[in-house]
Amino acid sequence: MSGTILTLFNGLSLGSILLLIALGLAVTFGLMKVINMAHGELIMIGAYVTYVIQSLFLKYVPESFFDLYFLLSIPIAFFIAAGFGILLEVSLIRFLYKRPLDSLLATYGVGLMLQQLARSIFGAPNVGVQSPSFLNGGLTIGTLVLPYSRLFILSLSILCLVAIFLYFYRTTNGRRVRAVMQNRQMAECLGVQTRRVDLATFAIGSGFAGIAGCALTLLGPIGPTIGTYYIIDAFMVVVVGGVGALVGAVVGAFGIGFFNTVFEFFTSATIGKVLVFMLIIAFLQWRPSGLVSSRSRALDE
């Protein structure tokens, strides 16, 4: 029973990490149909922002206030990653709408440039980020120990999901975003400034990538290629869940995390990853549009 509960928790933990990484990608990919291969580097930016803030706290802030660095890093990582997202959208993405292959290649090149920039600034070796003291240890339940860091990432992913839901369904800007997703031409005819909606949405998606990078510092050392380890899994979550569907992203993330953990438990990490890919391929043969199909009022072209 303990082994089963631990396996379920590991699947839930991996699913929460994938959800946190894929949330921003689901927003941008769902709205603008842009394949942003630099999403992983936005995650890297959030991780390095956390490292820099930790270094500043170690140098200039009294030790008794050191734990505050991580709580401060979350909003700062969001805004800095969002700023990079705005710069990327204004300088490149806006010229590549409705050109998915061009956007894929261009953002892949931007990702390589950002990786090299990180190597030039911080060096090629990985760097460590010290976890705050309140996230050390774990919650003991009988013979089980559930790490506080994993529980924090789970709580953070749920909080981010609630924030996106409230933004989409409880604000005026969120209604504009959903209108553009359903029918861009009609939204323009009704006075919605779609260019501003695209820019704001891309910035929000990039900001959540920064939060994901901040959370990943709790799991181990970070380096210039930290985002590339997760970008494929993030795209799998978006495709399996359904493009632009938050509910589908949640189910896809936790489903992939659960099956990945179960397969690894009975086989190995490599074989488990292969089995997950095979399961996803079989699923997409059955439902090519994903778990949740987004309805559109636009005529099929």
Side-chain angles (χ1 to χ4, degrees):
M1 180 62 69
S2 298
T4 302
I5 295 176
L6 185 59
T7 301
L8 292 175
F9 175 76
N10 289 335
L12 191 66
S13 174
L14 179 58
S16 65
I17 295 170
L18 293 178
L19 176 62
L20 195 57
I21 293 171
L23 273 178
L25 195 62
V27 171
T28 55
F29 192 27
L31 174 64
M32 293 172 285
K33 306 297 186 295
V34 173
I35 305 175
N36 181 19
M37 294 300 294
H39 189 78
E41 280 59 50
L42 294 172
I43 295 172
M44 175 200 69
I45 289 172
Y48 274 116
V49 166
T50 307
Y51 171 73
V52 170
I53 294 176
Q54 174 204 242
S55 302
L56 293 176
F57 265 67
L58 287 173
K59 190 173 183 179
Y60 299 108
V61 178
E63 186 177 354
S64 57
F65 296 98
F66 174 75
D67 288 345
L68 296 178
Y69 92 88
F70 190 79
L71 298 178
L72 186 64
S73 298
I74 295 175
I76 294 178
F78 176 88
F79 287 111
I80 291 181
F84 272 91
I86 291 174
L87 181 62
L88 180 61
E89 201 277 341
V90 171
S91 61
L92 182 65
I93 298 297
R94 68 164 51 180
F95 304 107
L96 300 176
Y97 290 134
K98 297 183 180 180
R99 297 163 59 185
L101 181 59
D102 292 342
S103 65
L104 186 151
L105 295 174
T107 54
Y108 179 73
V110 170
L112 294 178
M113 294 170 60
L114 290 175
Q115 286 185 25
Q116 188 58 45
L117 179 63
R119 290 188 183 95
S120 301
I121 297 174
F122 301 101
N126 291 347
V127 295
V129 176
Q130 181 180 345
S131 300
S133 60
F134 59 85
L135 293 180
N136 294 331
L139 178 65
T140 303
I141 304 177
T143 59
L144 293 176
V145 179
L146 307 181
Y148 287 133
S149 58
R150 299 273 182 166
L151 293 173
F152 177 83
I153 293 176
L154 177 61
S155 303
L156 183 62
S157 64
I158 295 174
L159 182 62
C160 291
L161 180 64
V162 171
I164 290 181
F165 176 83
L166 293 177
Y167 177 78
F168 275 164
Y169 295 97
R170 295 294 184 271
T171 65
T172 303
N173 290 332
R175 285 193 293 270
R176 294 193 182 103
V177 172
R178 288 186 288 122
V180 173
M181 290 179 67
Q182 287 188 1
N183 193 318
R184 179 178 292 268
Q185 289 75 23
M186 183 59 70
E188 290 177 345
C189 292
L190 294 176
V192 177
Q193 297 182 359
T194 56
R195 285 291 312 117
R196 183 176 297 179
V197 170
D198 289 340
L199 181 62
T201 306
F202 200 87
I204 291 172
S206 301
F208 278 105
I211 294 178
C214 182
L216 288 178
T217 60
L218 299 175
L219 303 181
I222 61 173
T225 59
I226 184 174
T228 59
Y229 297 139
Y230 296 96
I231 187 64
I232 301 300
D233 291 334
F235 272 108
M236 286 196 303
V237 169
V238 174
V239 172
V240 170
V243 176
L246 290 180
V247 176
V250 174
V251 178
F254 286 109
I256 291 175
F258 173 76
F259 283 110
N260 195 10
T261 303
V262 170
F263 290 152
E264 287 184 6
F265 179 79
F266 288 105
T267 58
S268 64
T270 304
I271 300 299
K273 182 70 71 174
V274 171
L275 292 176
V276 169
F277 273 112
M278 293 176 61
L279 188 62
I280 291 174
I281 292 172
F283 173 78
L284 292 178
Q285 294 294 321
W286 174 52
R287 289 184 66 90
S289 59
L291 284 169
V292 180
S293 301
S294 58
R295 297 180 179 180
S296 174
R297 297 181 184 274
L299 295 175
D300 294 332
E301 296 180 357

